[in-house]
Amino acid sequence: GCFLLWLLPSILRARASPETRPSSPLCQQSPTKVSCKGVGLRKFPKELGQGIKYLELSNNFIQNLSGSNMPGFGQLEYLDVCFNQLESVSAAALAELPRLRSLLLGSNHLDRNYLANGEAFHLLRNIEVLDLSVNSLESHMASWYISNLTSLRVLDLSGNAMTKLLAGTFRSSPRLRQLDLSSNYIMEIQEGAFEPLEELEVLNLALNSLHCISGFSLTQLQVLNLSHNALELFSEEEGAEPYLLRVLDLSHNRLLSFPELPRAHDLTHLNLSNNLIASLLPGSPHPWEFVLPYKEMQRFNRTVRPMAALTHVADLDLSDNRLELFPFSFFHSLGSLHSLSLARNCLQDVARDSVANGTELSVRSLDLRSNALRVLPRWFFDSLPHLESMDLGSNSLQPCESQGSDQGRDLGGDSHTSAPGDACTPFSNVPRLKHLSLSRNNISRLQPHAFNQTPLLSLDLSGNRDLSMPTGALAGLELSLQELSLRDNQMDEAALPCLGTLRVLDLSGNHLSLLPTGLSCSPLESLDVRNNNLQALGAVRSWSHSLRAVSVAGNPWSCCSLGWLDT
C-alpha cells in the first residue's frame, strides 16, 4: 500500500503531461494523423495529442463543434466530420483552427442553424476545400455559408435542396476551380451567377432540372457535366476567346438535335447518349425541322449557325437516340475520332453523299449494337481503315462467304446506300479489325472463309439460335483468334479448324454431346461447356499444361468416363 501511494504522484503527473496523453482507444493514430472513423463518438475527441494535422471523424454521432471541445488543434489542416449528426458549428471552434485547409461536412444537418453556422464560417478565410453535400441546404443557405470564403478552390454542394443559382452566390469565391452542384433541384441559373469564377475548370450540374442552357460563356472551363437534366437546347456564346472545354456530358436529356458548340474549342470527349436526337445537323429554331428524314436534310434551311468543327473529338457517344441512318458526311470533319457509339438507335442503313465519297474515318472502336441493320456494304469497311473493334450485336447481319483475300472487295458496290439485292455483309479483308461481336444477329449459317484475311483476336457469335458452322467457317483465323464465344446457340455440333492461338472458348448453352474436333490444337486456358449434353471431356489431356479454368455444370456426365478429372 505504501509503495502504491509513493508512486501515485508520478502517475498523476504523467497523465497531466501532454506528451504522454493517451489517445482514444478506438482511434488509429500516427504522429500527425488520426482516424476515428465509425467508432461511435458523440463529441469531439479532445483527449487526442497535439501536433495533429489530419483528423478523420466520419461516420459517428457528433452533433456540434464547440470551442470548449477543441483545444490544442491549432496545427490541424484537414478535418472530416462527414456522416455525423452535426447541426451546430460555433465561431469559437473554428477560431481554434487557423491552419485548416480542408473541411468535409457532408451528410449532416447544417440546414438547422444555418444563420449562426454561416456567421462562424466567416472565420474560414484560409479554407480551400469545403464539402457541404447532402445537408438539405436551400439556395440562400448555401450562398450564406460560402459568402466570405475567398480562398476556396474546391466546393461540393451536391445532394442538397437548391432550386436556383443566385447571381451573387460565388461573388466571394473567385478562385474556385472545381464546383459540384449535382443532385439538386436547380431549374434556374440567374444571369451572372458564374461570372466571378474566372478560374473554374470543372463544373458538375448533373441530376438537376435544367431545361435550357443558352449563351454559355465559361470559356476557361475544361470539364462540364450536364447529364440527367431536362435539356432541350444547348448553345454556347460565340465570342472572341476560344473555349478550353475538353469534356462535355449532355447524356440523359431531351435534346432533339446536335448541340450548338462554339467554333473554337478543344473538345475531346462528347457524350450525347440517351437523348431524342434524330438529326445530326446543328440546332434549328423550328422544332418540326428536327425530325426531317435524312434525304431531306440536303434542303435544310442553312440560315442556322454553321456547325463547329469537331476536329479534336476523340470519343463521341450517340447511343440511345433516334438516328435512322449512319451519315458519313457528318463525320467527315472528325479527323481525331477514335471511339464512336451509335448503339441502341434506329439505324437501318448507312449513307454517304458525294462529299463523303472516298472519305476515310479515323475510328478505331465502333459500337452499333441494338439497331436494325441488315447489310453493311464493302465501302463501309473501306472507309474505316483503322477500325480495330466493332460491336454489331443485336442486328440482322449475315456474313458473306469469301474464298480468297481479294474476293468480296466489291460486295455492296459504291452506291450511296446498300443495294436492295445485297443480303450479306463482307467481314473478310478488314486488315486491322481485331475484335468483332455478331451476337444475337439471327445468323443461321456461317459461310466458309467468312473472316478470311481479317486478323481477329476475339469473335463473339453467341445468341444465334441453331447456328450452323460447316467446315471452313472460321478458316483464316488459325493464327490469330484468341477468344471465341459460341454461347447460347443451341448447336448440336460445331466444326472448328486448328486454332493455334485460342485461349478462351465459351460453348455453354448448346446441345453438344461431343467437343468440336480440332480443339486439341488450341492452348486453352479457359473452357466453358456448361449446360450441354456432354458425358466426357475427351481432349482434356491436350490442355493439361495450359488450362486454368473450366466450367462443367449442367451436363449428364458419365460416372464410368471420368478419367479426364484425373488429368
Side-chain angles (χ1 to χ4, degrees), residues 319-359:
S319 60
D320 294 282
N321 277 282
R322 298 185 176 181
L323 298 169
E324 294 185 2
L325 287 170
F326 187 113
F328 266 78
S329 57
F330 173 81
F331 301 107
H332 180 67
S333 65
L334 278 66
S336 302
L337 189 62
H338 287 171
S339 177
L340 173 62
S341 178
L342 291 163
R344 293 176 297 278
N345 273 270
C346 308
L347 296 177
Q348 300 178 31
D349 212 336
V350 293
R352 61 175 178 176
D353 53 26
S354 56
V355 176
N357 195 18
T359 296

Coordinates of all heavy atoms in Angstrom, one line a residue, residues 319-359:
S319 N -25.2 7.0 -78.4 CA -26.1 5.8 -78.2 C -27.4 6.2 -77.6 O -27.5 7.3 -77.0 CB -25.4 4.8 -77.2 OG -25.1 5.4 -76.0
D320 N -28.4 5.4 -77.7 CA -29.7 5.6 -77.2 C -30.3 6.9 -77.6 O -30.8 7.8 -76.8 CB -29.7 5.5 -75.6 CG -29.3 4.1 -75.1 OD1 -30.2 3.3 -75.1 OD2 -28.2 3.9 -74.8
N321 N -30.4 7.1 -79.0 CA -31.0 8.2 -79.6 C -32.0 7.7 -80.6 O -32.5 6.6 -80.5 CB -30.0 9.2 -80.2 CG -29.5 10.2 -79.1 OD1 -30.1 11.1 -78.7 ND2 -28.3 9.9 -78.6
R322 N -32.4 8.5 -81.6 CA -33.4 8.1 -82.6 C -32.9 8.3 -84.0 O -33.6 8.5 -85.0 CB -34.6 9.0 -82.4 CG -35.3 8.8 -81.0 CD -36.6 9.5 -80.9 NE -37.2 9.2 -79.6 CZ -38.4 9.7 -79.3 NH1 -39.1 10.5 -80.1 NH2 -39.0 9.5 -78.1
L323 N -31.6 8.1 -84.2 CA -31.0 8.2 -85.5 C -31.4 7.0 -86.4 O -31.3 5.8 -85.9 CB -29.5 8.3 -85.4 CG -28.9 9.5 -84.7 CD1 -27.5 9.3 -84.4 CD2 -29.2 10.8 -85.5
E324 N -31.7 7.2 -87.6 CA -32.2 6.2 -88.6 C -31.1 5.8 -89.6 O -31.1 4.7 -90.2 CB -33.5 6.6 -89.3 CG -34.6 6.7 -88.3 CD -35.9 7.0 -89.0 OE1 -35.9 7.0 -90.3 OE2 -37.0 7.1 -88.4
L325 N -30.1 6.7 -89.8 CA -29.1 6.5 -90.8 C -27.7 6.8 -90.2 O -27.6 7.7 -89.3 CB -29.3 7.3 -92.1 CG -30.5 6.9 -93.0 CD1 -30.7 8.0 -94.0 CD2 -30.1 5.6 -93.6
F326 N -26.7 6.2 -90.7 CA -25.3 6.5 -90.4 C -24.8 7.4 -91.5 O -24.3 6.9 -92.5 CB -24.6 5.1 -90.3 CG -23.2 5.3 -89.8 CD1 -22.8 4.7 -88.6 CD2 -22.2 5.9 -90.5 CE1 -21.5 4.8 -88.1 CE2 -20.9 6.0 -90.1 CZ -20.5 5.5 -88.9
P327 N -24.8 8.7 -91.3 CA -24.4 9.6 -92.4 C -22.9 9.9 -92.3 O -22.4 10.6 -91.4 CB -25.2 10.9 -92.1 CG -25.4 10.9 -90.6 CD -25.4 9.4 -90.1
F328 N -22.2 9.4 -93.3 CA -20.8 9.7 -93.3 C -20.4 11.1 -93.5 O -19.4 11.6 -93.0 CB -20.1 8.9 -94.5 CG -19.6 7.5 -94.0 CD1 -20.5 6.5 -93.8 CD2 -18.3 7.3 -93.8 CE1 -20.0 5.2 -93.4 CE2 -17.8 6.1 -93.4 CZ -18.7 5.0 -93.2
S329 N -21.3 11.9 -94.1 CA -21.0 13.3 -94.3 C -20.8 14.1 -93.0 O -20.0 15.0 -92.9 CB -22.1 14.0 -95.1 OG -23.3 13.8 -94.5
F330 N -21.6 13.7 -91.9 CA -21.4 14.3 -90.6 C -20.1 14.1 -90.0 O -19.5 15.0 -89.4 CB -22.5 13.8 -89.7 CG -22.4 14.3 -88.3 CD1 -22.8 15.6 -88.0 CD2 -21.8 13.6 -87.3 CE1 -22.7 16.1 -86.7 CE2 -21.6 14.0 -86.0 CZ -22.1 15.3 -85.7
F331 N -19.6 12.9 -90.2 CA -18.3 12.5 -89.5 C -17.1 12.9 -90.3 O -15.9 12.6 -90.0 CB -18.3 11.0 -89.2 CG -19.4 10.5 -88.3 CD1 -20.4 9.8 -88.9 CD2 -19.4 10.9 -87.0 CE1 -21.5 9.4 -88.1 CE2 -20.5 10.5 -86.2 CZ -21.5 9.7 -86.7
H332 N -17.3 13.6 -91.5 CA -16.2 13.9 -92.4 C -15.1 14.7 -91.8 O -13.9 14.5 -92.0 CB -16.8 14.6 -93.6 CG -15.8 15.0 -94.6 ND1 -15.1 14.1 -95.4 CD2 -15.3 16.2 -95.0 CE1 -14.3 14.7 -96.2 NE2 -14.4 16.0 -96.0
S333 N -15.5 15.7 -90.9 CA -14.5 16.6 -90.3 C -13.9 16.1 -89.0 O -13.1 16.7 -88.4 CB -15.2 17.9 -90.0 OG -16.2 17.8 -89.1
L334 N -14.3 14.9 -88.5 CA -13.9 14.4 -87.2 C -12.6 13.6 -87.4 O -12.5 12.4 -87.3 CB -14.9 13.5 -86.6 CG -16.1 14.2 -85.8 CD1 -16.9 15.0 -86.8 CD2 -16.9 13.3 -85.0
G335 N -11.5 14.4 -87.7 CA -10.2 13.7 -88.0 C -9.5 13.0 -86.8 O -8.6 12.2 -87.1
S336 N -10.0 13.3 -85.6 CA -9.3 12.7 -84.4 C -10.2 11.6 -83.8 O -9.8 11.1 -82.7 CB -9.0 13.8 -83.4 OG -8.1 14.8 -83.9
L337 N -11.3 11.3 -84.4 CA -12.3 10.4 -83.7 C -11.8 9.0 -83.7 O -11.5 8.4 -84.7 CB -13.6 10.5 -84.5 CG -14.8 9.7 -83.9 CD1 -15.2 10.4 -82.5 CD2 -16.0 9.8 -84.8
H338 N -11.7 8.5 -82.4 CA -11.2 7.1 -82.3 C -12.3 6.2 -81.8 O -12.3 5.0 -82.1 CB -10.0 7.1 -81.2 CG -8.8 7.7 -81.7 ND1 -7.7 7.9 -81.0 CD2 -8.4 8.0 -83.0 CE1 -6.7 8.4 -81.7 NE2 -7.1 8.5 -82.9
S339 N -13.2 6.7 -81.0 CA -14.3 5.9 -80.4 C -15.6 6.5 -80.7 O -15.9 7.6 -80.4 CB -14.1 5.7 -78.9 OG -15.2 5.0 -78.3
L340 N -16.5 5.7 -81.4 CA -17.8 6.2 -81.8 C -18.9 5.1 -81.4 O -18.8 4.0 -81.7 CB -17.9 6.4 -83.3 CG -19.2 6.8 -83.9 CD1 -19.8 8.1 -83.3 CD2 -19.1 6.9 -85.4
S341 N -19.9 5.6 -80.6 CA -21.0 4.7 -80.3 C -22.3 5.2 -80.8 O -22.7 6.4 -80.6 CB -21.1 4.5 -78.7 OG -22.2 3.7 -78.4
L342 N -23.0 4.4 -81.6 CA -24.3 4.6 -82.1 C -25.3 3.5 -81.7 O -26.3 3.2 -82.3 CB -24.3 4.8 -83.6 CG -23.6 6.0 -84.1 CD1 -23.3 5.9 -85.6 CD2 -24.5 7.3 -83.9
A343 N -24.9 2.9 -80.5 CA -25.7 1.7 -80.1 C -27.1 2.2 -79.7 O -27.4 3.3 -79.3 CB -25.0 1.1 -78.9
R344 N -28.1 1.2 -79.9 CA -29.5 1.4 -79.5 C -30.1 2.7 -80.1 O -30.6 3.5 -79.4 CB -29.6 1.4 -77.9 CG -29.2 0.1 -77.3 CD -29.2 0.1 -75.8 NE -28.2 1.1 -75.3 CZ -26.9 0.7 -75.1 NH1 -26.5 -0.5 -75.4 NH2 -26.1 1.6 -74.7
N345 N -29.9 2.8 -81.4 CA -30.6 3.8 -82.1 C -31.7 3.1 -83.0 O -32.1 2.0 -82.7 CB -29.7 4.6 -83.0 CG -29.1 5.8 -82.2 OD1 -29.7 6.9 -82.2 ND2 -28.0 5.6 -81.5
C346 N -32.0 3.7 -84.1 CA -33.0 3.1 -85.1 C -32.3 2.9 -86.4 O -33.0 3.0 -87.5 CB -34.2 4.0 -85.2 SG -35.0 4.5 -83.7
L347 N -31.0 2.7 -86.4 CA -30.2 2.6 -87.7 C -30.7 1.4 -88.5 O -30.8 0.3 -88.0 CB -28.8 2.5 -87.4 CG -28.1 3.6 -86.7 CD1 -26.6 3.3 -86.4 CD2 -28.2 4.9 -87.5
Q348 N -31.1 1.7 -89.8 CA -31.5 0.7 -90.7 C -30.5 0.6 -91.9 O -30.5 -0.4 -92.6 CB -32.9 1.0 -91.2 CG -33.9 1.0 -90.1 CD -35.3 1.3 -90.7 OE1 -35.6 1.0 -91.8 NE2 -36.1 2.0 -89.9
D349 N -29.7 1.7 -92.1 CA -28.9 1.7 -93.3 C -27.7 2.7 -93.0 O -27.7 3.4 -92.0 CB -29.7 2.2 -94.5 CG -29.2 1.6 -95.8 OD1 -28.0 1.2 -95.8 OD2 -30.0 1.6 -96.7
V350 N -26.7 2.6 -93.9 CA -25.6 3.6 -93.8 C -25.7 4.4 -95.1 O -26.1 3.9 -96.2 CB -24.3 2.9 -93.7 CG1 -24.1 2.2 -92.4 CG2 -24.1 1.8 -94.8
A351 N -25.3 5.6 -95.1 CA -25.5 6.5 -96.2 C -24.3 7.4 -96.3 O -23.7 7.9 -95.4 CB -26.7 7.3 -96.1
R352 N -23.9 7.7 -97.6 CA -22.9 8.7 -97.8 C -23.3 9.5 -99.1 O -24.0 9.0 -100.0 CB -21.5 8.0 -98.1 CG -21.5 7.1 -99.3 CD -20.1 6.6 -99.5 NE -20.1 5.6 -100.7 CZ -19.0 5.1 -101.2 NH1 -17.8 5.4 -100.6 NH2 -19.1 4.2 -102.2
D353 N -22.9 10.8 -99.1 CA -23.2 11.6 -100.2 C -21.9 11.8 -101.0 O -20.9 11.3 -100.7 CB -23.9 12.9 -99.8 CG -23.0 13.7 -98.8 OD1 -21.8 13.5 -98.8 OD2 -23.6 14.4 -98.0
S354 N -22.0 12.7 -102.1 CA -20.9 12.9 -102.9 C -19.7 13.5 -102.2 O -18.6 13.3 -102.5 CB -21.3 13.8 -104.1 OG -21.9 15.0 -103.7
V355 N -20.1 14.4 -101.2 CA -19.0 15.0 -100.4 C -18.2 14.0 -99.6 O -16.9 14.0 -99.5 CB -19.6 16.0 -99.4 CG1 -18.5 16.6 -98.5 CG2 -20.3 17.1 -100.2
A356 N -18.8 12.9 -99.1 CA -18.2 11.9 -98.3 C -17.6 10.8 -99.1 O -17.0 9.9 -98.6 CB -19.1 11.4 -97.2
N357 N -17.9 10.8 -100.4 CA -17.4 9.7 -101.2 C -15.9 9.6 -101.2 O -15.1 10.5 -101.5 CB -17.8 9.9 -102.7 CG -17.7 8.7 -103.5 OD1 -17.6 7.6 -103.0 ND2 -17.7 8.8 -104.8
G358 N -15.4 8.4 -100.8 CA -13.9 8.2 -100.6 C -13.4 8.7 -99.3 O -12.2 8.6 -99.0
T359 N -14.2 9.2 -98.4 CA -13.8 9.7 -97.1 C -13.3 8.5 -96.2 O -14.0 7.4 -96.2 CB -15.0 10.4 -96.4 OG1 -15.3 11.6 -97.1 CG2 -14.5 10.8 -95.0

